[in-house]
Amino acid sequence: EKPTEGQVSRVVATPRPEPRLGDGGGGVNPADPRYKNLIGKQILLPLVNRRIPIVGDEHADMEKGTGCVKITPAHDFNDYEVGKRHQLPMINIFDFNGHIRQQAEVFDSTGNPSTIYTATIPASYQGMERFAARKAIVNELEKLGLLVAIKPHQLTVPYGDRGGVVIEPMLTDQWYVRTLPLAKQAIAAVKEGRIQFVPKQYENMYFSWMQDIQDWCISRQLWWGHRIPAWYDESGNVYVGHDEDEVRRENNLSADISLHQDEDVLDTWFSSGLWTFSTLGWPENSEALKTFHPTDVLVSGFDIIFFWIARMIMLTMYFIKDENGQGQIPFKTVYMTGLIRDEEGQKMSKSKGNVIDPLDMIDGISLEDLVTKRTGNMMQPHLAEKIAKRTRKEYPQGIEAHGTDALRFTLAALASTGRDINWDMKRLTGYRNFCNKLWNASRYVLMNTEGQDCGQQGGEMIFSLADRWIMAEFNQTVKLYREALDSYRFDIAANILYEFTWNQFCDWYLELSKPAIHKGNEAEIRATRYTLIEILESLLRLAHPIIPFITETIWQRVKVVKGIQQDTIMLQPFPIFAADKVDEAARHDLEWIKELIIAIRNIRAEMNISPAKSLDLLLRGTNHATKRRVTENLNFIQAMARLSAITVLDELQPTPLAVTKLIDGAEVLIPMADLVDKDAELARLDKELHKLTKEIAAIENKLANDSFVSRAPAAVVEKERERLAVHLAAKQKLTNQKVTISSL
């Protein structure tokens, strides 16, 4: 209606016209000077001619539109809260098919039926589908001269994942749990330290949710789940019990009284919130429950701290009591992992087509099978094609098999304390290579120990410096590894294991063992065999928690050499740090020898000298420790560095033309006479420098392109910067080599 004398008109914007049939009030911000005088007055609602009150509420945004809003408590989540605050009637105009009802359902703000408004809905809209009603209402408002304008806007409404249609908020009967009493003891359990979060900062997220907790709706309208244990008679009375027989028995209901069970099911989080004790025989006080509850560590993602972890704590402390009648905690430690994202830092999502099935990384999958797996169930062809194109670009050869252990090791190595874990297939390939390295190292050890005298039955053993060093290194590794595990730093633990296995044991000790194995006397060979099998067996036990399958397989052969009778490595003790096996002298001496060997190998590489060619080594400026190390390990150093002779020079003794390196306690000199074709080597270096210079220029041009830097994913830009840094370092190294050779 047009305003009459004493009435005013106000423009109200609405994103969804059809729910206006259920408006229960109008709203303005109480701080808005334009409309303060309207609070407490009434609006005449067009189309249904319903007089509804104007309330003052901060939900009305003074900066948005005209600052006036309609309140529809039955069909909007925010309006529902406004309606409760101001005791506005709630008018349900939709049925479950999304059609306008024949008559509205009118309730008061507590959910009871109300007669404050008539239930009449204009006949022209009754039974109309909601979006058809939207068009009809807009047309009617336009005919009445009440439509000011139609403008495009961002409509923020929820859509169903499967049906792809708008989810319509509406009034329904639901089951709730009053959570405030449950939350109090759950908060106390964490504040008092009975439950600890790792990393600790996630306690703040837990408290922020728990201290502002709302009642919990636990009923869901799904076809699967635990059925709500409630029954209704024809009068609407509610009975709760384990089953219908118990309901009838406990409430003295005769067989002629018809009952039907609630069709809703429990919220998944409610069911899973019972997990820690329901899996152990509850509600019976079983031996499993008494033995294993509370559990020790829960591993979870930070995104479900409230949905799952908090619910488990609340429900467990309510249902399970200790001997003093106090609520029992479900677990002692909550270890939080980051969320795995793809290589560009995006959250993994089926709609983006960037999800990787762990089984495909373990067993491998062809490109076409991978495309089919990602797009097979998609209803939208354009999206399926987009995902197929991305998949073919990222995995042109499909995904090759990497094995379970490689995947487990990768996940452990990436498990930092951050919120996100950026997945990298190159890391997975690298850790598969690590597993292969351990396998091949084990073959070398077994080849030299199976059926041999390894000192297990006694006999004289003379341990070399290398033997003493690797034992000391492993002992220190056990200490650091144990500390990392105890602090839940699985990334650090994985890196410690990788460093010792690949660099110390495989790359160094196995090479260092060869001189003794091939040229040592009986006591030296026996000691080296003993060390080889002892370190390998201990290393397998150390690595078993992260890579259980390969370690079990290798250990089944190693145990025979060691004379172990147990059936499985899982029943073996975990390695323990031994304070009496600390041998710092051996560690320092061997580290110096490694430094010397690396210096000699670097000279070979820089001067392009064949590894097979024997060299003369001159040492100048040596201190007492250096002379001792060289004297005690002369044959050993010569064999490892492929040297024909080692000469310790006096400080003033003249030296031939040589390439030099400085190491701790000495200057290393390799005479260059007859070793290098100076002109050929300079030509080779010039060719490599020219190629590197072109590649550096190409990367620099790409990074100087603002369009590339601004539009490309951050991870891609960062990789280009890393490539540039590697190329620049290589160019500097080649330049230095050229200067050295030019001076010869």
Side-chain angles (χ1 to χ4, degrees):
E1 297 177 357
K2 297 291 186 180
T4 61
E5 187 176 349
Q7 296 179 328
V8 294
S9 64
R10 286 291 178 265
V11 175
V12 179
T14 177
R16 297 155 61 227
E18 63 280 7
R20 301 286 68 87
L21 301 175
D23 285 344
V28 296
N29 195 302
D32 194 331
R34 297 172 294 177
Y35 307 125
K36 277 187 176 182
N37 62 321
L38 297 181
I39 297 174
K41 292 182 169 47
Q42 291 184 320
I43 297 172
L44 183 62
L45 186 64
L47 305 183
V48 293
N49 292 325
R50 180 186 304 136
R51 291 184 178 274
I52 56 177
I54 300 174
V55 299
D57 196 279
E58 291 182 355
H59 172 63
D61 187 348
M62 294 186 290
E63 304 299 325
K64 191 172 182 180
T66 62
C68 301
V69 296
K70 296 282 190 65
I71 309 298
T72 317
H75 297 293
D76 184 274
F77 295 111
N78 292 322
D79 288 6
Y80 177 75
E81 297 299 328
V82 176
K84 286 171 62 177
R85 286 197 289 270
H86 299 280
Q87 291 80 52
L88 296 178
M90 303 186 183
I91 306 167
N92 181 30
I93 65 165
F94 290 125
D95 63 19
F96 285 111
N97 292 319
H99 293 178
I100 305 296
R101 299 175 65 88
Q102 302 297 320
Q103 279 196 319
E105 293 179 322
V106 184
F107 303 93
D108 63 23
S109 60
T110 62
N112 295 311
S114 172
T115 58
I116 188 171
Y117 291 137
T118 177
T120 301
I121 292 177
S124 58
Y125 305 121
Q126 293 175 16
M128 191 175 286
E129 191 274 333
R130 54 180 171 166
F131 296 128
R134 174 181 297 179
K135 294 180 181 178
I137 288 171
V138 170
N139 290 336
E140 184 67 20
L141 291 173
E142 189 169 21
K143 286 179 183 177
L144 294 173
L146 298 175
L147 182 64
V148 176
I150 298 176
K151 296 180 179 180
H153 63 282
Q154 192 73 27
L155 187 60
T156 54
V157 294
Y159 279 77
D161 288 337
R162 292 171 177 80
V165 296
V166 173
I167 298 174
E168 197 73 49
M170 60 185 294
L171 293 177
T172 54
D173 289 325
Q174 304 291 337
W175 290 86
Y176 280 80
V177 169
R178 191 174 301 283
T179 48
L180 190 58
L182 302 178
K184 287 182 180 178
Q185 58 180 350
I187 291 171
V190 176
K191 282 190 173 180
E192 294 165 5
R194 286 180 285 154
I195 299 175
Q196 296 187 345
F197 280 78
V198 178
K200 192 173 178 62
Q201 66 260 27
Y202 286 110
E203 289 182 3
N204 296 329
M205 187 179 292
Y206 173 80
F207 289 136
S208 69
W209 276 327
M210 295 295 282
Q211 290 168 350
D212 190 30
I213 199 166
Q214 305 294 315
D215 288 343
W216 176 14
C217 177
I218 62 167
S219 52
R220 293 292 182 271
Q221 295 72 53
L222 300 172
W223 288 109
W224 57 88
H226 293 146
R227 191 100 170 258
I228 296 284
W231 282 260
Y232 304 87
D233 62 21
E234 292 178 343
S235 300
N237 297 312
V238 185
Y239 308 95
V240 175
H242 287 90
D243 51 41
E244 186 174 335
D245 289 340
E246 180 182 280
V247 166
R248 291 184 181 278
R249 187 173 60 252
E250 295 293 328
N251 295 279
N252 298 316
L253 302 177
S254 61
D256 61 340
I257 296 178
S258 177
L259 295 177
H260 68 277
Q261 189 177 355
D262 197 312
E263 293 184 352
D264 286 0
V265 297
L266 289 167
D267 174 18
T268 300
W269 295 115
F270 184 93
S271 297
S272 59
L274 310 174
W275 176 78
T276 60
F277 53 88
S278 63
T279 55
L280 298 174
W282 179 86
E284 301 298 328
N285 191 22
S286 65
E287 282 301 313
L289 187 63
K290 289 186 285 187
T291 303
F292 298 110
H293 201 276
T295 56
D296 193 10
V297 179
L298 174 78
V299 182
S300 184
F302 70 84
D303 56 330
I304 54 174
I305 286 177
F306 179 69
F307 295 106
W308 189 38
I309 295 168
R311 269 72 179 273
M312 280 194 286
I313 297 173
M314 288 191 290
L315 293 177
T316 303
M317 297 187 75
Y318 178 80
F319 285 113
I320 308 297
K321 308 297 182 184
D322 61 21
E323 60 276 7
N324 300 317
Q326 299 298 312
Q328 190 179 84
I329 59 174
F331 29 71
K332 301 167 188 173
T333 302
V334 180
Y335 170 65
M336 308 308 305
T337 68
L339 299 183
I340 296 182
R341 299 182 179 274
D342 70 10
E343 295 177 86
E344 296 179 0
Q346 297 183 31
K347 185 176 180 180
M348 289 193 177
S349 164
K350 289 182 180 179
S351 62
K352 292 179 181 177
N354 60 350
V355 173
I356 307 176
D357 187 335
L359 294 179
D360 293 338
M361 292 186 282
I362 292 171
D363 299 325
I365 187 171
S366 69
L367 172 60
E368 291 312 311
D369 286 345
L370 182 60
V371 170
T372 301
K373 189 171 186 177
R374 286 183 166 182
T375 63
N377 296 323
M378 288 193 169
M379 305 295 290
Q380 303 174 38
H382 72 282
L383 183 58
E385 180 56 35
K386 179 180 178 182
I387 290 174
K389 185 177 180 181
R390 171 177 180 161
T391 302
R392 290 191 174 95
K393 180 181 179 182
E394 290 182 342
Y395 304 104
Q397 307 301 321
I399 299 176
E400 57 183 327
H402 290 84
T404 306
D405 285 325
L407 179 60
R408 288 172 61 98
F409 203 107
T410 306
L411 292 172
L414 294 174
S416 65
T417 58
R419 289 168 61 100
D420 297 316
I421 297 171
N422 287 340
W423 183 253
D424 187 350
M425 288 295 290
K426 292 179 182 177
R427 295 285 294 272
L428 179 62
T429 301
Y431 292 124
R432 181 191 59 186
N433 295 341
F434 169 83
C435 292
N436 291 340
K437 186 87 167 180
L438 178 60
W439 181 269
N440 291 329
S442 302
R443 290 180 60 195
Y444 168 82
V445 173
L446 291 168
M447 183 173 61
N448 286 286
T449 56
E450 283 182 319
Q452 304 290 336
D453 179 3
C454 299
Q456 304 298 321
Q457 307 301 323
E460 182 186 5
M461 290 189 282
I462 300 175
F463 291 99
S464 68
L465 172 62
D467 297 331
R468 291 168 46 219
W469 166 75
I470 197 64
M471 289 181 181
E473 281 294 315
F474 180 76
N475 191 44
Q476 184 66 16
T477 297
V478 169
K479 180 175 183 290
L480 298 175
Y481 187 78
R482 179 77 259 181
E483 290 172 354
L485 291 183
D486 289 343
S487 59
Y488 299 94
R489 289 304 304 269
F490 301 112
D491 55 334
I492 295 176
N495 289 331
I496 290 169
L497 186 62
Y498 184 99
E499 163 64 22
F500 175 82
T501 303
W502 190 295
N503 296 327
Q504 310 308 330
F505 183 62
C506 296
D507 278 2
W508 279 104
Y509 179 68
L510 297 190
E511 290 300 315
L512 295 171
S513 70
K514 291 176 181 178
I517 288 289
H518 297 310
K519 297 181 181 180
N521 58 39
E522 185 178 337
E524 292 170 338
I525 295 173
R526 184 182 294 114
T528 300
R529 287 175 180 159
Y530 174 89
T531 305
L532 282 168
I533 201 68
E534 188 73 21
I535 293 297
L536 176 59
E537 195 276 334
S538 300
L539 177 58
L540 293 174
R541 286 186 282 123
L542 194 72
H544 183 69
I546 297 181
I547 47 175
F549 299 101
I550 189 173
T551 50
E552 178 73 70
T553 301
I554 298 170
W555 187 85
Q556 290 297 326
R557 286 181 63 181
V558 170
K559 75 171 188 176
V560 177
V561 180
K562 284 270 294 178
I564 298 171
Q565 300 302 315
Q566 287 278 11
D567 292 333
T568 172
I569 192 174
M570 288 186 288
L571 299 179
Q572 291 298 102
F574 194 74
I576 299 174
F577 171 73
D580 59 339
K581 290 185 179 179
V582 174
D583 190 344
E584 290 301 320
R587 294 181 69 202
H588 290 154
D589 284 355
L590 204 286
E591 288 302 326
W592 184 88
I593 291 174
K594 283 169 61 179
E595 187 182 4
L596 174 62
I597 293 170
I598 290 170
I600 296 168
R601 289 176 177 175
N602 285 343
I603 291 173
R604 285 184 184 274
E606 292 169 5
M607 297 296 108
N608 203 24
I609 301 171
S610 168
K613 188 171 185 62
S614 295
L615 302 177
D616 290 334
L617 171 65
L618 308 178
L619 293 173
R620 184 167 58 190
T622 54
N623 55 30
H624 176 73
T626 299
K627 292 176 181 176
R628 176 186 61 77
R629 288 163 177 161
V630 172
T631 302
E632 292 177 356
N633 301 280
L634 187 63
N635 294 334
F636 180 66
I637 295 172
Q638 283 186 244
M640 290 302 301
R642 197 172 288 278
L643 301 173
S644 53
I646 301 176
T647 304
V648 178
L649 302 174
D650 293 333
E651 192 66 36
L652 300 178
Q653 191 172 344
T655 60
L657 193 62
V659 176
T660 66
K661 295 279 184 183
L662 291 177
I663 64 172
D664 181 31
E667 182 182 2
V668 177
L669 299 94
I670 301 293
M672 286 290 107
D674 302 324
L675 289 178
V676 175
D677 183 333
K678 179 176 177 179
D679 294 336
E681 188 61 18
L682 287 174
R684 183 185 70 84
L685 290 174
D686 282 335
K687 186 176 180 180
E688 287 192 31
L689 280 168
H690 178 70
K691 179 182 176 182
L692 263 180
T693 301
K694 287 180 64 177
E695 291 178 358
I696 289 169
I699 299 172
E700 286 178 336
N701 287 337
K702 185 182 287 188
L703 292 174
N705 186 332
D706 292 337
S707 178
F708 169 75
V709 174
S710 61
R711 294 182 181 180
V716 173
V717 176
E718 184 59 31
K719 282 185 179 180
E720 289 299 314
R721 289 185 175 132
E722 289 173 1
R723 283 185 61 219
L724 178 60
V726 169
H727 284 359
L728 288 172
K731 181 179 180 181
Q732 185 60 50
K733 185 177 180 180
L734 291 177
T735 302
N736 293 341
Q737 290 177 21
K738 186 177 178 182
V739 170
T740 300
I741 292 174
S742 297
S743 66
L744 293 178

